[in-house]
Amino acid sequence: ARRLRTMPSLSAPGTISKISVTPSVVLNVCDSYVRRGEAVDKVIGAVLGTATTTADGRVVVVARTSYAIPCHDRDGEMFVDVEFHKTMLGLHARVNPEERVVGWFSAGSVTPEARALVHEFFAKEALNGTPVHVMLDADFTGAGNGGEMLSASVGDTVLATTDRESGESRSAGVWFSEIECEVDLQQATKLGVEALRSASSAKDDDDVAGLAQTMGKLGKLLTDAQAYVDAVVRGERQGDAEVGRALSAALAGVPQLTKAQFDKVFGDSAEDVMMVRYLTNLTRTQLTLAEKLHTAALIV
């Protein structure tokens, strides 16, 4: 027989008031979601960092790093690779022992049942037993309606069922409350992101179209350099010694190859790329088989 009873909260409501997420965590979550398998509709992972207490007793969590944990659905149940999580956590503790598990992240469609059980799993390892759930709107569903791309919440176990024979308690529900979430973008980080955005190369779904667009940009740069040199030679523009040395170094770096030599070098490079791709696919297949055969899994 089982009975319902009130369980103490993992922490007092409102204790954690804010989480500050570094850009590396956001980029890692996005990268994990983009690199997920074709049949996978979500990714989860651990969030590590530190926590500080303010003068009024509130806790501010700083998320500094994260890593994805393999998971998959089978027969209506969710399996999480616990051994992978333990291994990654142990390796990270050797490098940054002061950083602990402060929560977990998710991107994609996570059911409320799976969310509650995964949250309780991380509650056993999180600081003060209260993990922060960081959610990324990877599908832009909420952002399109005026919502936030990144949000966070903390959960409290409110009810549990107890087996009188074994005395085991199992949660019957987790109540989530949203907290303040911000991305800690320093001035240097903002400048770096803007530089990457302005200098990023063309990326198209079609590799040939992307290469053509990149070559078009290169041709425009060469045209501008030629126009500058011609203007200096004709005396229409005063020359700059530093620009001249830079152009000379760039031209000196171009290999002097005949058409036959270029075709041979290009062919050898293409064969090398195909060999690397084959070995990569072979290694990925072996790792997948090893994961299914030798790793332990937690049913969620």
Side-chain angles (χ1 to χ4, degrees), residues 79-235:
F79 292 80
V80 179
D81 193 341
V82 180
E83 291 300 323
F84 179 88
H85 167 60
K86 292 180 179 179
T87 301
M88 290 295 295
L89 186 60
L91 293 175
H92 185 83
R94 297 182 182 180
V95 181
N96 297 304
E98 71 280 359
E99 295 182 2
R100 300 282 303 280
V101 175
V102 295
W104 62 290
F105 71 81
S106 66
S109 57
V110 180
T111 62
E113 294 81 6
R115 181 189 181 192
L117 292 175
V118 173
H119 197 82
E120 288 187 349
F121 167 73
F122 280 99
K124 301 175 183 178
E125 302 183 3
L127 288 173
N128 300 324
T130 307
V132 180
H133 181 199
V134 180
M135 295 164 287
L136 176 69
D137 185 11
D139 299 328
F140 300 97
T141 54
N145 299 325
E148 297 292 338
M149 284 289 300
L150 196 70
S151 60
S153 60
V154 293
D156 292 327
T157 303
V158 293
L159 291 175
T161 59
T162 303
D163 193 331
R164 292 182 178 179
E165 297 179 357
S166 63
E168 180 182 359
S169 297
R170 295 183 180 180
S171 66
V174 177
W175 176 70
F176 288 94
S177 58
E178 190 171 351
I179 62 174
E180 181 182 355
C181 179
E182 69 172 11
V183 179
D184 184 15
L185 274 177
Q186 302 294 333
Q187 184 63 26
T189 307
K190 293 180 180 180
L191 295 176
V193 172
E194 292 297 330
L196 289 174
R197 291 179 57 185
S198 60
S200 60
S201 59
K203 180 63 177 178
D204 199 280
D205 293 336
D206 187 358
D207 293 338
V208 177
L211 178 61
Q213 188 174 356
T214 302
M215 294 302 296
K217 289 184 177 181
L218 178 60
K220 184 177 182 304
L221 293 175
L222 292 175
T223 301
D224 294 341
Q226 183 178 3
Y228 171 80
V229 173
D230 292 341
V232 173
V233 172
R234 291 192 299 266

Side-chain angles (χ1 to χ4, degrees), residues 209-291:
L211 178 61
Q213 188 174 356
T214 302
M215 294 302 296
K217 289 184 177 181
L218 178 60
K220 184 177 182 304
L221 293 175
L222 292 175
T223 301
D224 294 341
Q226 183 178 3
Y228 171 80
V229 173
D230 292 341
V232 173
V233 172
R234 291 192 299 266
E236 300 175 357
R237 184 172 181 176
Q238 184 177 0
D240 190 332
E242 293 185 2
V243 175
R245 284 192 291 267
L247 291 175
S248 178
L251 293 175
V254 177
Q256 303 296 324
L257 299 176
T258 62
K259 184 180 183 301
Q261 292 174 336
F262 177 80
D263 292 340
K264 183 178 184 304
V265 172
F266 183 82
D268 293 342
S269 300
E271 292 178 358
D272 293 340
V273 171
M274 294 185 66
M275 178 60 70
V276 171
R277 179 175 298 180
Y278 169 76
L279 293 176
T280 301
N281 292 334
L282 181 61
T283 303
R284 184 182 294 111
T285 303
Q286 291 179 345
L287 290 175
T288 303
L289 291 175
E291 176 186 344

Side-chain angles (χ1 to χ4, degrees), residues 17-67:
S17 59
K18 176 182 177 182
I19 181 171
S20 179
V21 183
T22 58
S24 61
V25 175
V26 180
L27 292 176
N28 185 48
V29 176
C30 294
D31 181 72
S32 301
Y33 186 78
V34 171
R35 296 175 182 271
R36 72 190 189 283
E38 295 182 357
V40 180
D41 60 351
K42 59 182 169 295
V43 292
I44 65 171
V47 177
L48 291 81
T50 58
T52 58
T53 304
T54 60
D56 58 356
R58 302 293 180 176
V59 177
V60 177
V61 175
V62 179
R64 301 186 182 278
T65 185
S66 63
Y67 56 84

